[in-house]
Amino acid sequence: MTTIKRSSKGATVEALVASDPDLMKALMKQALQEVLEGEMTELLGAAPGERTDSRQGYRAGYYSRGLVTRIGKLELRVPRDRHGEFSTALFERYARSEKALVAALAEMYVQGVSTRKVKAITEELCGHSFSASAISAINKSLDETLARFATRQLEEAYPYLIVDARYEKVREDGVIRTQAVLIAIGVNWEGHRQVLAVELAHRESQSSWKDFLLRLKERGLWGVEFVVSDDHAGLRKAISEVLTEAVWQRCYVHFLRNALDYLPRKADDDCLQELRWIYDRRDIQEANRDLVAWISKWQAKYPKLVDWAESNIAETLSFYHLPRQHHKHMKSTNMLERLNEEIKRRTHVVRIFPNTDSCLRLIRALCVETHESWLEDNRYLNMTLLVEQKKEALRLAA
C-alpha cells in the first residue's frame, strides 16, 4: 500500500495528486480499513492492545478480502476475533456511499487539477477520465435515491428524538467555508432507531434549527415526548418553540465537558468523577441525594464549579423520568455521536468538499446505509416499558 504522508498546510490538491498517482486509491483503502477496525473495536469493546474491564473478546488476525470499486480493486484486511463473531456489512452496504465518495473526489480533482492531469490520473486508476458528464452520470441515480429518503413522509410517532450537528469544510465561490450538518435520529414505538433528517446550514442558529425542526413536522413528525441535545442556545430555543410538548434532556457528556471550564487546570482529585457518578444512580431520588452530598463536599474548594453545576444540572437529569432500562441510551447524544464518527471517517478523505451538493450527497448516502442497517437490527429499546410506565402514572393520577 502506498504510504500516505501528511501534506503541509498550504499544499494543493494538484501537488498531492501529482506527487502520488495512487493517492485516490490509497486514501479509499485507508478509509475503509479504518471502518473495519472501528467495527471490530466496537464489537470487542477495546482497541488493539487496550486493557479494559469492558472487553468482550480478543482479536485473532486477519483475512484478505477484495472489494471492487470504481477506482479499482482494493485488497482489504478483514479482522477476525477468536470466537468468530465478527461480521461486517461494509461490503454489502458500501456501493452507495462509495459512489458518493468517488464522485466527491472526482469533482475535487476536476476543479483543482488541470484537465490534462485529471485525464492522465483517472485513466491510470479507473480506466477512464472523470469528465463533468461522467460525474453527472454517477450522481444522477444517487441523487434520486437520496432525495426520496430526505423528503419521505414520516408516518409513525417518534417518542424519542436526538439532534446534533457536526461541521464540514466546503468550497463556495472559491472560498472555503464551514457548513453545519444538522442530523436528527428518532426512536419509534417499536424501539427501532431511524435517521429522520440530514441537512446543511451555513451555521447553527435558532433560525436554522427551527427551520430544520419545522420541515420535520411538515413531513409528518409527531408524538415526540423526549428530546436529547447539547446546550446550544439556538437549538434549545428552537426545541422549545417547535416541540412544545417534549421534555428536553441536556446531554450529560457535553455537560461534564463544559464543567472543565469552571475547574482549575491542575485539578487532579475526584471532583468530576463523583459528579459523573450521579448519572449512574437508580432513580432521581438517589441522584438528588448524591448531588446534595457532592455540593457540600466541594463547595469550599471549587465554588465556581459547584455554583454553576447547581444552577444547570437539573437539565441533565430529565432522563430519570424514563424507564431505568432507557437511561444509558437517552441521557446523552452518544447514539448520534457514533454516527458522526462514522461520517468523519469518510469525509476526512475528501477534507474540503468542492461544493455543498457533493458534501450533502456523501453524508446522506452514509446515513441511508446506517438507517437501513438499523431497520434490520433487533429493536434498540423495549418501548413497552415506557407504555407501562405511562399507564401506571395515569392510574396513580386517577
Side-chain angles (χ1 to χ4, degrees):
M1 175 178 170
T2 303
T3 301
I4 302 173
K5 298 180 179 178
R6 289 188 178 273
S7 63
S8 63
K9 187 174 181 180
T12 63
V13 173
E14 180 175 355
L16 287 171
V17 178
S19 65
D20 186 355
D22 288 331
L23 179 63
M24 184 190 294
K25 195 171 182 179
L27 287 172
M28 290 283 286
K29 181 174 180 179
Q30 176 177 297
L32 296 178
Q33 195 66 53
E34 288 178 359
V35 171
L36 291 171
E37 296 293 348
E39 288 182 338
M40 177 60 85
T41 295
E42 184 174 355
L43 172 70
L44 301 181
E50 181 182 7
R51 296 183 179 181
T52 171
D53 295 336
S54 61
R55 178 184 285 277
Q56 300 297 313
Y58 293 88
R59 287 168 170 75
Y62 297 84
Y63 68 91
S64 296
R65 168 79 184 264
L67 178 64
V68 178
T69 76
R70 286 177 177 265
I71 58 174
K73 187 175 182 179
L74 305 178
E75 291 296 333
L76 300 174
R77 301 171 69 236
V78 183
R80 285 191 176 106
D81 67 290
R82 291 183 184 177
H83 299 292
E85 296 178 353
F86 177 70
S87 63
T88 177
L90 172 66
F91 298 101
E92 290 76 15
R93 300 192 178 280
Y94 176 67
R96 187 187 293 116
S97 60
E98 183 267 342
K99 288 180 181 178
L101 179 55
V102 170
L105 290 169
E107 286 183 276
M108 181 173 66
Y109 295 151
V110 167
Q111 292 190 12
V113 187
S114 70
T115 303
R116 178 180 58 81
K117 289 182 179 178
V118 169
K119 185 175 186 297
I121 293 164
T122 54
E123 282 183 350
E124 181 177 348
L125 294 178
C126 313
H128 65 278
S129 61
F130 282 111
S131 64
S133 59
I135 296 169
S136 177
I138 293 172
N139 292 340
K140 185 176 180 181
S141 61
L142 274 175
D143 289 342
E144 291 172 356
T145 300
L146 298 178
R148 286 196 298 271
F149 172 77
T151 60
R152 73 191 190 280
Q153 283 297 115
L154 305 176
E155 299 177 347
E156 56 185 329
Y158 295 90
Y160 293 163
L161 186 70
I162 303 93
V163 287
D164 198 6
R166 59 170 286 102
Y167 294 88
E168 298 292 346
K169 293 187 181 300
V170 178
R171 193 181 301 277
E172 286 187 317
D173 300 323
V175 178
I176 298 172
R177 307 181 190 277
T178 299
Q179 292 277 322
V181 184
L182 313 182
I183 303 178
I185 293 175
V187 179
N188 63 16
W189 279 107
E190 294 180 353
H192 288 286
R193 296 171 288 175
Q194 297 185 26
V195 179
L196 302 185
V198 184
E199 296 184 9
L200 290 186
H202 289 298
R203 64 183 185 277
E204 277 193 274
S205 65
Q206 181 181 351
S207 60
S208 64
W209 274 117
K210 184 176 181 179
D211 290 344
F212 177 80
L213 295 174
L214 286 173
R215 280 190 288 271
L216 271 171
K217 294 196 76 171
E218 289 170 0
R219 288 171 47 210
L221 178 69
W222 66 283
V224 178
E225 301 182 8
F226 193 85
V227 184
V228 189
S229 77
D230 63 20
D231 188 42
H232 187 278
L235 176 53
R236 286 187 61 176
K237 291 179 181 178
I239 290 171
S240 66
E241 291 181 15
V242 179
L243 304 172
T244 55
E245 303 299 319
V247 174
W248 178 60
Q249 163 71 27
R250 178 176 177 176
C251 173
Y252 88 99
V253 176
H254 286 85
F255 177 81
L256 292 175
R257 290 175 191 161
N258 296 150
L260 292 171
D261 295 335
Y262 300 88
L263 199 63
R265 226 176 245 191
K266 295 183 178 180
D268 59 357
D269 46 36
D270 297 328
C271 180
L272 277 188
Q273 181 59 47
E274 291 176 9
L275 182 62
R276 189 217 169 283
W277 287 338
I278 291 172
Y279 299 98
D280 296 329
R281 298 298 158 247
R282 295 174 59 88
D283 53 43
I284 190 64
Q285 289 76 25
E286 284 189 13
N288 282 332
R289 284 196 297 270
D290 280 6
L291 177 60
V292 170
W294 181 85
I295 291 172
S296 176
K297 179 176 179 179
W298 297 104
Q299 177 69 62
K301 188 171 185 180
Y302 301 125
K304 289 184 178 179
L305 171 65
V306 172
D307 290 345
W308 172 82
E310 189 174 9
S311 299
N312 294 279
I313 196 170
E315 301 167 346
T316 71
L317 303 177
S318 303
F319 71 93
Y320 276 116
H321 299 289
L322 303 178
R324 188 176 174 222
Q325 292 85 341
H326 294 186
H327 289 180
K328 68 177 181 179
H329 303 287
M330 302 307 300
K331 63 185 177 182
S332 73
T333 58
N334 282 355
M335 182 198 311
L336 211 164
E337 293 285 350
R338 285 191 287 271
L339 173 59
N340 280 336
E341 282 300 313
E342 175 61 22
I343 293 171
K344 181 180 177 181
R345 285 194 191 100
R346 303 287 188 92
T347 60
H348 180 69
V349 177
V350 181
R351 296 180 59 222
I352 300 171
F353 283 88
N355 51 60
T356 55
D357 288 342
S358 176
C359 179
L360 190 57
R361 182 181 300 118
L362 175 54
I363 294 174
R364 277 185 174 164
L366 293 167
C367 288
V368 168
E369 292 179 359
T370 298
H371 174 84
E372 291 174 349
S373 69
W374 283 349
L375 291 180
E376 295 170 4
D377 290 343
N378 295 328
R379 65 183 180 182
Y380 184 67
L381 294 174
N382 181 359
M383 299 301 285
T384 58
L385 297 172
L386 183 59
V387 175
E388 292 169 359
Q389 184 185 73
K390 289 163 69 72
K391 288 180 178 178
E392 179 63 15
L394 290 173
R395 186 188 67 79
L396 293 174

